[in-house]
Every structure is written in C-alpha cells, then in structure tokens.
C-alpha cells in the first residue's frame, strides 16, 4: 500500500503544474463532440475524487455501502468545459490532497475488512490511483 500512496503523492505534487503548462487551446479542444476535452477529463477526475471520498468515509462506518455515479451526466452537469483551468486545477488539487490525507488515516484492518460496492478499501485505493494515472496520461499527451 505504501507504493500506492507514494505514487498518489507524486501525482498530487507534479500534476497541477503539468496541467498549467498545457495551452488553453489544447486544454479546451474537443476533437469529437462525443468525447471529453482535456478540461472535461480533469472535471471527471474531480467528480471521481468527490465520489471516492464519500466511499472511503462511509465504508468506515456503514456496511458495504453502494455508491455509484453516472460519470457522463456528472461531467455534463458540472459544466467543466466552461470553467477556468486554474479553478479546476485548484479544486482537483484540494480534494486530492484531502483524499491522500484520508487514505493515510485508514487503518490496515479497515483497508482489508471494510468494503464499498463489494470491494475492499485496499482494492478501491489501488483502483483510484490507477484510474488517476490513466486519465492523467490522456491529459498530458
């Protein structure tokens, strides 16, 4: 689990500056009306962070809560395409710093014995960081 936390911490420190180095034009462009722009992908990562924060909080005191979301509707409803890059970057950074803090507070026992959506918190933590790496790659290409 330490490697996952180290990778997450590395992303939190490096990614915000990398986002700011992307030109506004490249960040906003939609190459296909049915695909997200880089800006909307960042918005999706914000949605993911908020939903996962709720998963990790609730799973510590509820029995296997079921917490899902419609990522397309969340992104659409968040109007990320029209938000300022700096605002999105700061929101992403803030929620992910808090999520990292939360990850570090969860005991090893809770990582393996508490669940959400029928998955252990350890699985969900690994999955969250993998998901983040995947979309980070899409943004930085």
């Amino acid at each position: 689990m330490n490697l996952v936390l180290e990778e997450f911490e590395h992303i939190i420190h490096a990614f915000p500056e990398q986002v700011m180095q992307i030109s506004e034009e490249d960040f906003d462009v939609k190459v296909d009306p049915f695909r997200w722009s880089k800006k909307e992908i960042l918005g999706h990562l914000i949605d993911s962070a908020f939903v996962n924060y709720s998963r990790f909080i609730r799973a510590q005191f509820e029995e296997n809560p079921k917490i899902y979301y419609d990522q397309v509707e969340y992104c659409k409803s968040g109007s990320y395409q029209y938000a300022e890059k700096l605002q999105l970057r700061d929101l992403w950074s803030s929620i992910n710093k808090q999520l990292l803090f939360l990850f570090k507070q969860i005991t090893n026992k809770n990582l393996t014995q508490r669940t959400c959506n029928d998955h252990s918190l350890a699985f969900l933590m690994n999955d969250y960081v993998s998901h983040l790496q995947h979309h980070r790659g899409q943004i930085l290409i």
Side-chain angles (χ1 to χ4, degrees):
M1 201 49 56
N2 286 339
L3 291 176
V4 171
L5 293 175
E6 287 174 18
E7 177 61 18
F8 189 22
E9 195 159 13
H10 168 74
I11 293 169
I12 287 171
H13 291 299
F15 189 50
E17 182 57 37
Q18 293 168 325
V19 165
M20 296 311 290
Q21 292 175 4
I22 300 169
S23 73
E24 291 292 334
E25 181 181 340
D26 189 33
F27 201 59
D28 289 357
V29 70
K30 289 179 71 79
V31 295
D32 180 321
F34 300 104
R35 296 180 55 124
W36 289 335
S37 65
K38 291 179 180 189
K39 184 183 275 188
E40 289 170 313
I41 294 170
L42 182 58
H44 165 66
L45 290 175
I46 291 166
D47 293 337
S48 175
F50 278 113
V51 170
N52 275 283
Y53 189 80
S54 180
R55 287 176 178 156
F56 281 90
I57 292 289
R58 290 178 52 192
Q60 292 183 78
F61 65 89
E62 292 180 25
E63 287 302 317
N64 195 31
K66 305 297 186 207
I67 304 170
Y68 301 100
Y69 72 110
D70 182 328
Q71 63 184 13
V72 172
E73 290 303 321
Y74 264 57
C75 191
K76 215 184 297 181
S77 296
S79 299
Y80 297 118
Q81 187 64 24
Y82 309 104
E84 295 178 12
K85 180 175 23 173
L86 181 61
Q87 176 181 323
L88 295 177
R89 190 242 8 220
D90 290 349
L91 181 55
W92 179 90
S93 186
S94 181
I95 185 59
N96 277 282
K97 286 178 183 177
Q98 186 63 29
L99 194 52
L100 176 63
F101 174 78
L102 176 60
F103 283 3
K104 290 179 177 180
Q105 306 312 306
I106 299 173
T107 65
N108 285 334
K109 180 180 174 187
N110 279 351
L111 281 174
T112 57
Q113 294 183 2
R114 302 301 299 185
T115 60
C116 179
N117 300 345
D118 298 320
H119 295 290
S120 72
L121 294 184
F123 172 87
L124 292 172
M125 192 179 293
N126 277 305
D127 187 62
Y128 180 78
V129 175
S130 294
H131 175 257
L132 182 55
Q133 290 170 318
H134 168 74
H135 287 302
R136 178 182 179 221
Q138 290 177 316
I139 291 171
L140 298 180
I141 58 170

